Amino acid sequence: VLQLATAILAVRLIWLTGRKWAWGLIALSIFLMAVRRAAPIVHVLLGDTSYRIDLPFEWLGLAVSICMFTGMAGIGPVFRAFQRNTESVRASQRKTEYLNAVLRAIGDINQLIAREKDQGRLLPGICNCLIAASHYRHAWIALLDDKRQLVPVATASAGKPRPFPRAQLESGDRR
């Protein structure tokens, strides 16, 4: 019974790890061991008095079955933790890629500021740097006029242009 339960635990690990053939072979081998362990029980149940049970061998088999079941039951949480860590590493990699792209945009903007003296070309160039080097799809630069109103002076878009988000900026919405 323990070996059958262990085989079921091994089959459950197929979905967790995605290693179908490896866990399938382990589950099959445990199942075959369970069938082999059932042979003495079948002889006893059929009343075969000529079959002699090797008690030390059976106790050893029980100990092995308990160890295998405990090991299979304990390895599932290890794989789940590994899966969570893998997802966390992927999220960190995506964040690192994003931050590297932002840093690349900042470097490009610094180079543009150093060489471009005309504000009419500088501000649109800054927007273009943000779009080209980072994950931003739209960029705007706005200045405050004498009445402290936002006035868009440069824009760039990767794809369909969007209107200047005046209401969002004035309300403090940062989406």
Side-chain angles (χ1 to χ4, degrees), residues 3-63:
Q3 287 178 336
L4 290 177
T6 305
I8 291 169
L9 289 175
V11 169
R12 287 183 58 209
L13 290 172
I14 289 172
W15 292 287
L16 182 62
T17 64
R19 304 282 188 227
K20 292 182 172 90
W21 65 271
W23 289 111
L25 287 175
I26 290 171
L28 177 63
S29 66
I30 294 169
F31 175 75
L32 293 174
M33 288 171 58
V35 169
R36 189 246 170 256
R37 302 278 309 134
I41 296 170
V42 170
H43 283 284
V44 170
L45 290 176
L46 293 175
D48 184 0
T49 56
S50 66
Y51 187 81
R52 300 197 40 90
I53 295 178
D54 185 0
L55 207 52
F57 180 75
E58 297 303 322
W59 280 109
L60 181 62
L62 178 62

Side-chain angles (χ1 to χ4, degrees), residues 24-169:
L25 287 175
I26 290 171
L28 177 63
S29 66
I30 294 169
F31 175 75
L32 293 174
M33 288 171 58
V35 169
R36 189 246 170 256
R37 302 278 309 134
I41 296 170
V42 170
H43 283 284
V44 170
L45 290 176
L46 293 175
D48 184 0
T49 56
S50 66
Y51 187 81
R52 300 197 40 90
I53 295 178
D54 185 0
L55 207 52
F57 180 75
E58 297 303 322
W59 280 109
L60 181 62
L62 178 62
V64 168
S65 296
I66 290 170
C67 290
M68 285 175 35
F69 177 78
T70 305
M72 279 294 169
I75 203 166
V78 170
F79 282 115
R80 279 190 282 287
F82 179 75
Q83 192 175 35
R84 280 191 305 274
N85 288 342
T86 301
E87 291 165 3
S88 175
V89 165
R90 286 187 185 129
S92 294
Q93 286 173 332
R94 285 190 299 272
K95 187 173 184 175
T96 299
E97 287 171 10
Y98 168 76
L99 292 174
N100 283 336
V102 170
L103 286 173
R104 219 175 10 262
I106 290 170
D108 292 347
I109 290 168
N110 283 338
Q111 288 179 7
L112 182 64
I113 290 170
R115 73 173 182 267
E116 186 60 65
K117 302 304 177 205
D118 178 19
Q119 184 178 1
R121 287 193 304 257
L122 175 65
L123 298 179
I126 290 172
C127 290
N128 287 325
C129 285
L130 287 169
I131 299 301
S134 66
H135 293 232
Y136 300 116
R137 300 204 30 86
H138 309 284
W140 300 271
I141 295 177
L143 300 175
L144 291 174
D145 65 10
D146 295 338
K147 298 174 190 167
R148 307 220 21 101
Q149 297 293 315
L150 288 173
V151 177
V153 293
T155 184
S157 292
K160 183 179 176 185
R162 286 184 50 194
F164 181 68
R166 180 183 311 279
Q168 282 179 295
L169 291 170

